[in-house]
Amino acid sequence: MRIIMLGAPGAGKGTQAKQIADKYQIPHISTGDIFRMNIKEGTELGKKAKTFMDQGALVPDELTVALVVDRIQKEDCKNGFVLDGFPRTIPQAEALDKKLAEMEEKMDYAIDVDVPDENIVNRMGGRRACVNCGSTYHIVSIPTKVEGICDKCGNEVVLRDDDKPETVQKRLKVYHEQTQPLIDYYNSQGILKSVNGVRPMEDVFAEIVRILGA
Ligand code: AP5
Ligand code: MG
């Protein structure tokens, strides 16, 4: 099963994608997580990506597409994968389709997690991410058991650099201009499914499972 998670920054793409990956035993491929790992490790890619990410802008298509095209050809992607945060522009979507066609494959579902802008800013301000394993929490809706400490690995959880309110506004603007057009793109391919993301995360997940089938 090949799945794309669409949705605004903070809509819950990552939260849902992790659960989909666990349930269906397919890799979770988050371009944001890959960039953050490269930043942490100080790689060339990380240095380039950081300048864009810190401003709430998109990393250039050529860097992002090369990364994903390489990743989806790995052995563990044979039975499918869930893409989180990619594609984010029409050229990225077209490049993905082209590559899959060469591999004689195609995407099965594009799931749009729909959350209005006014809910987003609250979610981002309350999000905490583990500095080590990347697990995400929310100080009100999904708190850690011990304040400030990751339930899974015991390291510190922090506010992401790009979750400051002014950067969130910029990311939302970029989302509406560059990423939202993908909803029509996948609708016209007949694979778009929209889910209401303003509900407890278990309910959102239950609806996604209904769409994907047990
Ligand atoms: P990326 O890491 O993809 O960030 P994003 O799209 O802005 O999305 P987020 O990760 O912020 O949100 P999410 O939808 O995953 O929500 P989450 O599940 O965490 O990208 C970061 C940057 O990298 C980009 O700005 C760009 O610069 C660059 N980049 C990445 N991919 C790129 C690409 N393809 N092309 C170019 N540049 C790219 O949930 C958010 C919060 O809400 C959490 O605290 C969570 O606990 C909580 N929450 C989740 N679900 C619920 C719920 N149902 N109810 C209440 N709270 C909930
Ligand atoms: Mg995410």
Side-chain angles (χ1 to χ4, degrees):
M1 197 145 40
R2 296 182 189 85
I3 305 162
I4 294 168
M5 301 305 293
L6 294 174
K13 300 181 296 295
T15 302
Q16 297 300 329
K18 284 186 188 109
Q19 295 191 66
I20 294 170
D22 279 353
K23 181 169 169 70
Y24 297 94
Q25 295 289 300
I26 50 178
H28 168 208
I29 304 174
S30 158
T31 40
D33 286 354
I34 295 171
F35 289 138
R36 280 184 288 279
M37 193 176 299
N38 275 276
I39 291 173
K40 196 173 142 199
E41 289 170 358
T43 68
E44 270 317 300
L45 176 65
K47 282 178 199 150
K48 283 187 193 148
K50 187 170 171 32
T51 57
F52 298 96
M53 290 170 75
D54 282 352
Q55 296 167 35
L58 295 183
V59 177
D61 285 343
E62 53 275 23
L63 289 178
T64 314
V65 167
L67 186 95
V68 175
V69 160
D70 178 62
R71 181 65 187 87
I72 62 171
Q73 293 183 84
K74 299 259 192 284
E75 183 65 24
D76 64 341
C77 289
K78 270 218 158 96
N79 294 324
F81 45 81
V82 51
L83 294 178
D84 161 14
F86 182 95
R88 242 179 166 95
T89 63
I90 296 280
Q92 289 183 15
E94 290 171 345
L96 175 65
D97 281 348
K98 184 164 167 269
K99 187 69 213 174
L100 286 170
E102 282 169 27
M103 296 162 70
E104 298 184 348
E105 288 167 1
K106 61 177 184 46
M107 294 308 302
D108 299 306
Y109 297 97
I111 299 176
D112 177 42
V113 184
D114 187 23
V115 176
D117 287 8
E118 50 272 29
N119 299 57
I120 297 285
V121 181
N122 277 340
R123 282 200 187 179
M124 308 296 240
R127 171 165 56 190
R128 296 294 179 270
C130 175
V131 293
N132 178 50
C133 75
S135 295
T136 46
Y137 304 90
H138 187 277
I139 51 173
V140 178
S141 53
I142 310 164
T144 51
K145 293 195 183 95
V146 178
E147 198 185 321
I149 302 294
C150 178
D151 293 353
K152 297 207 177 89
C153 73
N155 281 275
E156 192 190 1
V157 298
V158 298
L159 186 75
R160 238 167 66 178
D161 283 346
D162 59 348
D163 278 349
K164 297 179 185 86
E166 54 292 4
T167 317
V168 171
Q169 292 297 350
K170 175 76 196 305
R171 285 161 64 197
L172 276 171
K173 187 166 177 281
V174 168
Y175 167 76
H176 290 300
E177 287 171 2
Q178 301 199 51
T179 307
Q180 213 169 15
L182 292 176
I183 293 179
D184 283 342
Y185 181 92
Y186 288 112
N187 197 20
S188 65
Q189 288 192 0
I191 62 167
L192 181 78
K193 304 282 175 189
S194 277
V195 299
N196 171 6
V198 194
R199 291 176 299 166
M201 60 177 215
E202 299 78 21
D203 296 4
V204 179
F205 185 57
E207 189 178 339
I208 292 175
V209 170
R210 265 198 300 280
I211 291 167
L212 302 178

